Amino acid sequence: MKLLTVLMLSAGILSPGLAYSQIPTETAPPQLSRSAALAAPVKVTTVEGITEYRLANGMRVMLFPDPSKASLTTNIIYMVGSRHENYGETGMAHLLEHLLFKPSANFGVKKGTKTPVEVLNAIGGQFNGTTWYDRTNYFATFPANDDNLRQMLALEADRMVNAAIDQNDLWNTKTNKGEMTVVRNEFEMGESDPIGVTTERIQAVAYDWHNYGKSTIGARSDIEQVNIPRLRAFYKNYYQPDNAALMVAGRFDEAKVLKQVNELFGRIPKPSRVLQPTYTAEPTQDGERAVTVRRSGGTQFIGAGYHAAPSGHPDAVALSLLSRILVDAPSGRLHKALVESKLATRLEHDPVSNLEPGYRIFGAVVAKEGNLDLTQDAMLKVLENLKTQPITDAEVARAKQQINKGIELAMADTANLTIALTESMAAGDWRLFFLQRDQMEKMDAASVQAAAVKYLKPSNRTLGRFIPTDNADRTEVPAKTNVMASLKGYTGRAAVAQGEAFDTSPMNIETRTQRFTLPGGLKAALLPKKTKGATVSATLQLRLGSEDSLKGKSQIGEFAAAMLLSGTDRLSRQEIKDSFDQLKAQVSISGNAEGITANITSTKENLPAVIDLLSEVLKKSNFPAKEFQEQQLAAINRAEQEIPEPEPLASNAMARLIDATPAGHVRHVGTLQEQLAETKAVTVESVRAFHTAFYGANNATFSAVGNFDEIALKAQLASRFGMWKSTQAYVRIPRSIKTVAGAKIALETPDKANSMLLAVQPLTINDSASTYPALLIANHMLGGGALRSRLADRIRQKEGLSYGVGSQLNVPALDPAGMWVAYAISAPQNTAKVEAAMREEVQKALSSGFTEEELVDAKKAWKQSNEVNRTSDASLAQRLASYLKIDRSMLHDKELEAKVAALSLAQVNDALRQNLKAVNISVISAGDFAKAAKDAKDTTGK
C-alpha cells in the first residue's frame, strides 16, 4: 500500500505554489458528440462514503463529498504506464504526462483560451502529474467553488482526447527547444543519484522479460528520438474514457457534479478499438543474481531485491507489515542490525506497487570508508534467516498500529486520500485500500512469517552494490556503423576460380571414382574433380580391435579418440592447431574404442602437408598428462550435466532397453552414473597403452573428393599409412539388438520445464531386406519428413504440443539389428497427450495406410534430399569411405533409388504393417511429471 508515499515515488512536474484568481466560466468544454441524448450514469457501489458510477462510454467516476473541506480535489487516472511500452517506446507514458500540460484544442490552441498550466495556476491549484508502471494520473487541489471545478473538469475532458501532442511542443527543430530536454534533464537528475541508479540496476537484472525491469523514465535514446506518430498513437489508444477513472473529492453537491461530469465526459464516444492486455509473465527466478555499479559518489550502498506478490494479493499486506518490522526506526530489525551497529548510516526501502507480480528492495547506505561486505552479510542474515528468528506478535501489533495511523490520517484528509487511491486503482481497484486495511487487521505473526519465508530467500534475490569511484573505467562501445559508407567504391578481390558443373547422379559418381587397396590393407576411393577454390574433402577411417580385445575398454577408447589432437612427440596441442590453421585446413577427429573418423577440408595445394600432419597426429600422439586431466574433467562435467536432464536420461534408458550385450562388452550401455564412474577410472597410462596396441591403418578406409593430384595422393597414402599396422587384430563385431516389446518407462527429472518421449521397436532386418525400400518411404511419411509428416502434422502443426517431433528408421547394412524410433519433446504436462497422439497416428497409418498423394510427395522429397546430400563433397567423401568397409559401391544408391521409384502404395502400406506393430512399441519418457500432476491438481482441484 502506497498511502501517502505515492508522491515521493512517482516522477512528475513540480506543482506551483497556491495562488487564487477567478477563471472566466465561458471557456468551452470539448466540442464532441452532442447529437444523441446522454445516458444517465449508473451507480456501481458505495464504500465508506465513496460512490462509484459508470458512464455509458465506460468511464469510471468516484465521488466522495466532504463538506468539512473548503477545497476540491480532482484526480484522473489512466490505466497506462511503462508496462504498456514497446521496443523503442520506453518513457513514452511519462512523455505523454508532460505533454498533457501543453495546449489542447480548447485550452491554449483555440485563440483566446488559457493553456492547461495557466488554468491550473489561475484556480490556485496544487497540481501534479505522475507516471508509474501501471498507471498515469493528473491531480489538482484547489479552492472549492463551482467555477473552479467546472474549469478543472473541462480541462481534463479536453486533454483526454484533444491534446495536441505536437512535434514543436516536444522538440522544435528550428528553435532547438522543447519538452524533450526537460524530460531528459529529469532523466539526468536520476542518473546523478548513484543509489537510485543502483536500485534501477537491481530491478533490471531481476527481470528477464517484464517491463517492470525498466525504469519508467525510459532510455535516454528513446527520450531523445521519440517518434511523434507513435506517441500520438499511444495517446489515442490509452487516453480514452473506457481506460480512465475520475475522482472528485471535497466540498460539492454530488448530484450536481455527477450531472456535470456526465455532460463533459459522457459525450466523449466510447472508442471502437479494443485494448489488448499485456501478457508477458516473468518466469520464476532460479538463483541468486548480483550487479555492481561504480560511479562518483560519497557513500556506498548495498541493496537486496526480491520478487513479490502483486499489490492486490493478500501476501502484499503481509509484506507491508513485514517491511515495517524490518525497516522502521528504532524498532526495525534491519535498523538495529545495521544502523545501531554503525554498519550503515541509514536504510532504504522501495515497496513498488504493481498490478502484476512486483518487487521489493531493502537497502543500506554505508559510509565511504565502511566495510560493505560486513554490511551485506549482516543485512542478508536479517532478511533471509527469519526461519530461525521468527516474527513476534508484538512486532506485528506495532506494525499494524503504525500503518493504521497512516490510513486514518489519509482518510481524514480527503485530498490525500484521493491521491492515495491512485495506487489502489493501479493495483486493481480503489476499494483495495479498504479491503487490505481489513485484511491487515486479521493478519497475525504466522501470516507475516509465512510471507517472509516464502519471498525472502536467496534464490529469489538480486543483490546490488554501489561502490563509489572517482576514476570509473568504462568501455564506450561505438554506435551503429554506416556500413554503406564503408562499402562505397569497394570492389573486393578477384573472384574465386569456379569448379566444373558436376553431375551428382550415383552412376556418374561411380564412373568417376577410382578405387584401390594398398599392400598394407588400406582401401581407398578417389573422386577427382574441379572444384570452386580448388577445395578437397577427405575422410580417413580406422577400424580397431575385436570383441574380446576391446572388452572393458569402451571409455579408454573414447578418450584415445578424443585426445588425438592434444599433442605429439614433436608438437603441442597449440602447435597442431596453428599448423592446420596455417594450412587453411579444417580437420576433425571423432570416434570410440572401435574406430575413429578423421574428416578433412583443404585445398589442392595444401592437402599433402595436411595429410602429413594428420599422419603424425594419428601415429605419434603422446597424450600429455596435462591435456588428459583437462579432457577428463570436461568429460566428467558433461556426464554430471547430463544425469538430471530429460533427453540424455531418456536416450540412455532406451539404449539400455534394447542393449543385447553383456557387461564389459565394448557396446554395453551402462547407466549414466555407471558411465560417469568409468570415466573417472580412466588413466592416461591406459589411454597411451590403448593407442599403442590398437591404432594402425591395416583396416583403414580413405576417400577424397575434389581437387587433388590422384597419383601423388596415392603415393603419399602408401608412404604414410601403407605399412602402419596395429598390434591387436581387427575383427568386425556384429550388430545386435534385444527384441523387447511394449515396455513403458517413465523417469522423473525434477525442475525441468521440458520432457523427452521416445518410442522404439526393434526390427530384425538389414538394408538388404526386400521390404526395406518401402519401409524407408513409409517412415518418411510417418515421421521422417522435415516438419511435414503424419507425426509432425498432428503433434506440432495441428496441436502445437511439440517443437521437435519425428521418427527415424535405423537399419544397418549387414546385420539384422534395425529399429524404428519416434521422438518428441514437450512440456511435461503435455507428454501424455503427445504419446496418445503418436499412438493414434501410428495406428491410423497401420489401419488405413497412406494415400497416393502422400506417396508421390514422399518419393520426390526423399530423392531430392539424397541429391542435395551428394552435392556436399564432405558428405560424399564420408559415404565413399563407409562403403569401402562393406564392399559397397554407388551402384547401391542407384538401385535403391530405382526400387523406391517403382514402389506402389500397396507395397509401402504392406511393408509398414509387416514390420511395425503398435503393441510392440516401447515408450520411454523423462520429465518433471510429479510437478505437472501437482499443478494440474491445483488447477482443477481434483
Side-chain angles (χ1 to χ4, degrees):
M1 242 181 259
K2 285 301 184 84
L3 298 177
L4 307 181
T5 64
V6 59
L7 302 181
M8 299 166 58
L9 292 174
S10 301
I13 300 171
L14 295 178
S15 173
L18 191 62
Y20 178 81
S21 65
Q22 284 284 348
I23 298 294
T25 58
E26 54 270 5
T27 301
Q31 298 297 312
L32 298 165
S33 175
R34 292 185 173 278
S35 58
L38 281 172
V42 176
K43 181 179 178 180
V44 177
T45 187
T46 299
V47 174
E48 300 193 24
I50 304 174
T51 303
E52 178 179 345
Y53 299 89
R54 187 69 59 93
L55 304 189
N57 57 16
M59 183 170 167
R60 301 174 70 179
V61 179
M62 277 67 75
L63 302 179
F64 31 122
D66 180 5
S68 69
K69 281 285 185 182
S71 64
L72 286 165
T73 297
T74 61
N75 182 27
I76 189 162
I77 307 165
Y78 295 95
M79 298 303 143
V80 60
S82 58
R83 173 169 60 88
H84 301 86
E85 296 164 347
N86 294 315
Y87 188 80
E89 295 181 350
T90 62
M92 191 169 277
H94 179 247
L95 274 170
L96 276 180
E97 174 215 311
H98 278 248
L99 290 182
L100 255 69
F101 287 91
K102 297 296 183 181
S104 61
N106 293 293
F107 288 85
V109 173
K110 186 176 180 181
K111 189 175 181 181
T113 60
K114 294 183 183 294
T115 67
V117 171
E118 289 172 337
V119 169
L120 288 163
N121 276 278
I123 66 173
Q126 292 181 321
F127 63 91
N128 205 344
T130 73
T131 307
W132 207 227
Y133 296 103
D134 305 293
R135 55 79 187 159
T136 307
N137 77 313
Y138 305 85
F139 63 89
T141 297
F142 46 88
N145 65 62
D146 290 345
D147 289 343
N148 285 349
L149 181 58
R150 179 169 181 80
Q151 290 298 320
M152 196 63 227
L153 293 176
L155 170 61
E156 294 297 8
D158 195 55
R159 62 182 180 174
M160 175 181 282
V161 290
N162 287 331
I165 318 296
D166 188 82
Q167 175 67 64
N168 290 330
D169 287 334
L170 181 65
W171 186 248
N172 188 315
T173 56
K174 293 181 179 179
T175 64
N176 286 335
K177 295 178 181 178
E179 194 67 19
M180 182 275 287
T181 51
V182 175
V183 176
R184 186 176 66 187
N185 185 239
E186 187 178 349
F187 169 86
E188 291 162 346
M189 179 177 67
E191 284 292 292
S192 295
D193 174 12
I195 293 176
V197 169
T198 303
T199 58
E200 287 181 2
R201 298 292 187 272
I202 291 172
Q203 216 157 315
V205 171
Y207 282 93
D208 290 327
W209 305 107
H210 201 285
N211 268 6
Y212 287 168
K214 297 182 177 68
S215 172
T216 302
I217 194 74
R220 185 185 185 110
S221 57
D222 287 359
I223 294 169
E224 292 176 337
Q225 302 180 62
V226 66
N227 179 286
I228 276 289
R230 288 176 71 179
L231 188 60
R232 287 197 192 108
F234 193 87
Y235 165 70
K236 290 180 179 179
N237 193 46
Y238 291 107
Y239 278 66
Q240 296 287 352
D242 62 344
N243 195 45
L246 172 68
M247 298 179 180
V248 182
R251 184 182 292 176
F252 64 89
D253 181 287
E254 185 168 348
K256 181 179 177 181
V257 169
L258 181 61
K259 181 179 179 181
Q260 192 175 17
V261 168
N262 196 35
E263 180 65 29
L264 288 167
F265 290 91
R267 293 193 181 279
I268 300 175
K270 183 177 182 178
S272 58
R273 64 92 182 91
V274 176
L275 282 174
Q276 299 300 317
T278 59
Y279 47 79
T280 300
E282 184 66 20
T284 300
Q285 186 168 321
D286 48 11
E288 301 91 326
R289 303 180 184 185
V291 60
T292 299
V293 175
R294 297 180 188 272
R295 293 187 173 206
S296 174
T299 60
Q300 301 181 89
F301 176 77
I302 181 72
Y306 302 86
H307 291 279
S311 299
H313 193 280
D315 281 357
V317 181
L319 288 171
S320 294
L321 288 167
L322 176 64
S323 297
R324 291 277 187 171
I325 292 167
L326 291 171
V327 304
D328 267 6
S331 63
R333 294 190 179 192
L334 284 173
H335 179 85
K336 290 182 177 296
L338 302 180
V339 179
E340 289 186 5
S341 67
K342 296 183 173 53
L343 288 172
T345 58
R346 74 173 190 272
L347 300 179
E348 298 277 344
H349 178 231
D350 187 6
V352 182
S353 176
N354 297 110
L355 176 68
E356 297 181 0
Y359 210 69
R360 286 179 178 260
I361 298 175
F362 300 90
V365 179
V366 181
K368 196 169 186 177
E369 66 277 4
N371 189 319
L372 201 59
D373 291 334
L374 288 179
T375 306
Q376 174 182 314
D377 292 344
M379 183 172 73
L380 295 181
K381 184 177 181 181
V382 172
L383 291 173
E384 297 174 5
N385 284 356
L386 289 167
K387 279 186 178 180
T388 59
Q389 298 291 328
I391 300 299
T392 67
D393 291 332
E395 288 175 312
V396 173
R398 182 184 293 114
K400 284 183 179 180
Q401 181 175 295
Q402 292 165 343
I403 292 176
N404 273 324
K405 178 183 71 174
I407 292 173
E408 290 172 7
L409 289 173
M411 292 181 66
D413 188 327
T414 306
N416 280 328
L417 178 60
T418 308
I419 311 309
L421 291 180
T422 299
E423 296 311 304
S424 296
M425 279 295 297
D429 192 275
W430 60 273
R431 290 168 290 179
L432 276 173
F433 182 91
F434 304 101
L435 175 65
Q436 293 190 323
R437 173 202 60 192
D438 299 342
Q439 290 174 335
M440 183 188 67
E441 290 297 327
K442 299 175 184 178
M443 290 280 172
D444 56 16
S447 303
V448 178
Q449 177 71 19
V453 173
K454 180 178 181 180
Y455 295 102
L456 303 187
K457 58 176 64 174
S459 63
N460 189 39
R461 179 225 304 151
T462 298
L463 203 65
R465 296 161 65 99
F466 167 62
I467 300 174
T469 177
D470 294 328
N471 299 297
D473 183 12
R474 300 179 185 134
T475 299
E476 296 293 337
V477 179
K480 182 176 69 175
T481 303
N482 186 345
V483 175
M484 297 312 295
S486 302
L487 291 172
K488 186 177 181 180
Y490 180 75
T491 58
R493 302 178 183 181
V496 176
Q498 295 296 309
E500 65 177 283
F502 184 73
D503 174 9
T504 60
S505 67
M507 195 64 221
N508 183 61
I509 292 171
E510 180 61 27
T511 301
R512 298 267 304 258
T513 299
Q514 307 167 17
R515 294 183 179 84
F516 59 88
T517 301
L518 295 178
L522 182 145
K523 296 179 180 180
L526 306 182
L527 175 52
K529 62 174 182 148
K530 186 178 181 182
T531 56
K532 185 176 182 179
T535 58
V536 57
S537 295
T539 295
L540 174 67
Q541 297 179 341
L542 307 182
R543 275 165 289 284
L544 315 174
S546 65
E547 183 174 337
D548 289 336
S549 63
L550 292 174
K551 191 172 294 184
K553 294 182 172 60
S554 176
Q555 289 292 329
I556 298 171
E558 288 193 14
F559 268 89
M563 290 191 65
L564 289 170
L565 293 170
S566 296
T568 68
D569 296 340
R570 183 176 67 92
L571 299 172
S572 68
R573 176 182 175 184
Q574 186 63 56
E575 288 171 330
I576 293 172
K577 184 177 184 301
D578 290 344
S579 297
F580 279 130
D581 288 343
Q582 289 165 8
L583 293 169
K584 299 177 182 178
Q586 290 183 340
V587 177
S588 65
I589 302 176
S590 60
N592 52 37
E594 293 185 70
I596 64 100
T597 297
N599 291 313
I600 300 169
T601 299
S602 187
T603 61
K604 179 179 182 180
E605 178 185 4
N606 292 328
L607 181 63
V610 172
I611 290 179
D612 281 346
L613 183 54
L614 177 63
S615 170
E616 179 179 354
V617 164
L618 294 177
K619 295 178 180 179
K620 303 295 184 180
S621 283
N622 63 352
F623 305 97
K626 179 183 175 183
E627 299 292 345
F628 171 79
Q629 290 171 359
E630 182 178 318
Q631 181 73 27
Q632 188 174 45
L633 285 174
I636 290 171
N637 180 259
R638 283 194 301 271
E640 290 173 337
Q641 186 177 350
E642 287 183 345
I643 285 174
E645 298 296 327
E647 293 184 32
L649 270 177
S651 298
N652 175 258
M654 185 186 79
R656 288 189 292 116
L657 179 68
I658 59 177
D659 180 20
T661 64
H665 193 284
V666 71
R667 293 181 189 161
H668 180 71
V669 182
T671 65
L672 295 181
Q673 290 83 354
E674 289 170 344
Q675 293 176 26
L676 174 60
E678 290 175 4
T679 298
K680 291 180 178 179
V682 176
T683 65
V684 68
E685 291 78 13
S686 64
V687 174
R688 290 169 179 160
F690 184 92
H691 178 263
T692 300
F694 288 92
Y695 273 67
N698 45 319
N699 291 287
T701 56
F702 177 88
S703 65
V705 176
N707 237 328
F708 57 87
D709 183 331
E710 56 264 40
I711 296 175
L713 178 56
K714 183 176 181 180
Q716 186 178 23
L717 290 175
S719 170
R720 297 304 181 199
F721 301 108
M723 301 310 294
W724 180 40
K725 296 186 177 182
S726 61
T727 302
Q728 290 287 347
Y730 165 72
V731 179
R732 190 183 77 85
I733 305 173
R735 293 281 167 189
S736 62
I737 192 167
K738 188 191 297 183
T739 54
V740 295
K744 179 86 172 181
I745 299 172
L747 304 168
E748 284 289 340
T749 58
D751 198 31
K752 297 299 176 181
N754 196 36
S755 76
M756 182 73 192
L757 183 140
L758 295 170
V760 61
Q761 181 187 319
L763 302 170
T764 54
I765 62 171
N766 61 20
D767 69 5
S768 297
S770 60
T771 58
Y772 174 70
L775 193 57
L776 195 64
I777 295 303
N779 174 71
H780 185 93
M781 292 184 283
L782 182 56
L787 297 182
R788 184 68 179 91
S789 66
R790 291 280 185 95
L791 293 180
D793 288 350
R794 169 74 181 277
I795 296 171
R796 173 170 169 155
Q797 312 290 26
K798 181 181 177 182
E799 299 192 15
L801 295 172
S802 174
Y803 172 76
V805 56
S807 66
Q808 298 173 353
L809 182 66
N810 297 324
V811 176
L814 302 178
D815 305 307
M819 61 178 168
W820 175 84
V821 178
Y823 61 90
I825 60 171
S826 67
Q829 63 267 27
N830 292 329
T831 306
K833 295 177 185 177
V834 170
E835 181 182 347
M838 186 178 288
R839 289 186 182 276
E840 286 177 15
E841 291 305 318
V842 170
Q843 189 56 55
K844 284 180 186 178
L846 292 171
S847 301
S848 304
F850 300 102
T851 66
E852 191 66 46
E853 181 181 5
E854 285 178 297
L855 179 59
V856 171
D857 289 344
K859 285 181 179 181
K860 181 179 178 182
W862 177 83
K863 184 175 186 295
Q864 291 185 344
S865 176
N866 283 341
E867 291 171 353
V868 170
N869 287 337
R870 291 195 295 267
T871 64
S872 166
D873 289 349
S875 296
L876 185 55
Q878 291 169 30
R879 178 174 298 194
L880 291 173
S882 297
Y883 278 6
L884 285 170
K885 69 179 181 181
I886 55 175
D887 296 323
R888 179 171 285 179
S889 73
M890 292 299 294
L891 293 178
H892 170 268
D893 293 49
K894 179 177 181 293
E895 292 167 0
L896 180 59
E897 288 188 1
K899 290 176 182 177
V900 167
L903 287 172
S904 68
L905 184 61
Q907 287 176 311
V908 173
N909 288 332
D910 287 346
L912 186 68
R913 293 174 184 133
Q914 288 176 32
N915 290 279
L916 193 63
K917 308 293 182 183
V919 294
N920 290 342
I921 296 174
S922 297
V923 174
I924 303 95
S925 58
D928 194 350
F929 304 123
K931 182 178 184 296
K934 181 180 180 298
D935 290 347
K937 184 178 180 181
D938 292 343
T939 301
T940 62
K942 297 180 182 180

